[in-house]
Amino acid sequence: LYVGDAGTGTLTIEDGGSVSNTFSLIGDNAGSVGTATVSGSGSSWSNSDYLYVGENGTGTLNILDGGLVSNVNGYAGRNSNGDGTITVSGTGSTWTSSGITAIGGQGTGMLTVSDGGTVTTAANGFVGANNGSTGTVTFTGTGSSWGVTNRLYVGNTGQGTMTVQEGAAVTSDGANIGSDATGVGLLNITGTGSTWTNTDTLNVGSSGTGTMTVSNGGVVTISSTVELGGGAGSTGTVTVT
């Protein structure tokens, strides 16, 4: 399913409507603009393969008020000139990837989750996955969450920023902040009730530059080793205030 292949496309699924297909591209070719909105309890969009938001063009995906979207691998800003924006807002609103989730694959990606929205990733999660990419992820409010079954990379080889605030929660099986030499990762956990829980190692500045700030009652829990500035030439900084 192409939403904005070479031109402008709009897909709206609401009031309990459902769409099922193999794969989807929102904003496929350069210059294209695609917008998809899944809104309301019982409304769903199921992709048995990948979902790319901002493949080479500009793509927007809104999951609102209990809407459900599922796919295998999910990208926002997949290729170098792709620009993808994803919003998940409202109790029961859910984006599920049975593979990886990449916000900023090779392009620019943004994910905003608020008011009880939920993102689940069954493999690795990436914010700023590849060199030249920019990924920004913000989780706001009690009940807003991201559960990553495997490892979370913020600034893998690109630039990644993740903010968890106002009672939101993120869980992962370990994490790298500023993973490779070109990776720059920024992580902010701020506000009472805001949490990030890791069940494996945390590397801040593995081979790149990693910065983590925990402030104003935010809580980070690590069940294994914490390593700051692990590789030659890397920089790892943690501030708790």
Side-chain angles (χ1 to χ4, degrees):
L1 174 58
Y2 296 83
V3 183
D5 184 20
T8 299
T10 302
L11 170 68
T12 302
I13 305 169
E14 60 186 4
D15 298 330
S18 64
V19 173
S20 298
N21 50 266
T22 304
F23 64 86
S24 296
L25 298 101
I26 305 173
D28 182 22
N29 291 299
S32 65
V33 178
T35 302
T37 301
V38 183
S39 178
S41 179
S43 302
S44 66
W45 186 12
S46 175
N47 298 270
S48 61
D49 204 335
Y50 58 81
L51 170 62
Y52 298 156
V53 181
E55 166 80 343
N56 295 291
T58 300
T60 301
L61 172 62
N62 301 307
I63 308 170
L64 309 173
D65 301 326
L68 307 173
V69 173
S70 63
N71 49 261
V72 181
N73 293 333
Y75 279 77
R78 182 170 182 265
N79 291 325
S80 59
N81 54 350
D83 189 334
T85 300
I86 300 173
T87 300
V88 185
S89 181
T91 302
S93 300
T94 304
W95 178 30
T96 301
S97 297
S98 60
I100 70 169
T101 298
I103 308 303
Q106 294 178 326
T108 301
M110 179 178 293
L111 170 64
T112 302
V113 181
S114 63
D115 299 326
T118 300
V119 178
T120 60
T121 302
N124 292 326
F126 296 90
V127 183
N130 295 303
N131 194 7
S133 67
T134 300
T136 305
V137 172
T138 304
F139 289 81
T140 304
T142 302
S144 301
S145 67
W146 188 9
V148 182
T149 301
N150 290 348
R151 204 160 184 86
L152 174 60
Y153 297 85
V154 180
N156 185 42
T157 60
Q159 296 189 24
T161 301
M162 183 171 81
T163 301
V164 183
Q165 59 189 7
E166 298 178 17
V170 173
T171 60
S172 57
D173 186 24
N176 290 54
I177 313 302
S179 185
D180 291 342
T182 58
V184 178
L186 302 173
L187 174 63
N188 301 296
I189 312 294
T190 183
T192 301
S194 302
T195 62
W196 182 31
T197 303
N198 281 278
T199 56
D200 204 339
T201 57
L202 169 62
N203 298 304
V204 182
S206 303
S207 296
T209 301
T211 303
M212 181 173 75
T213 302
V214 186
S215 63
N216 300 320
V219 174
V220 174
T221 303
I222 311 297
S223 300
S224 186
T225 304
V226 177
E227 187 176 81
L228 310 181
S234 66
T235 301
T237 304
V238 174
T239 302
V240 181
T241 181

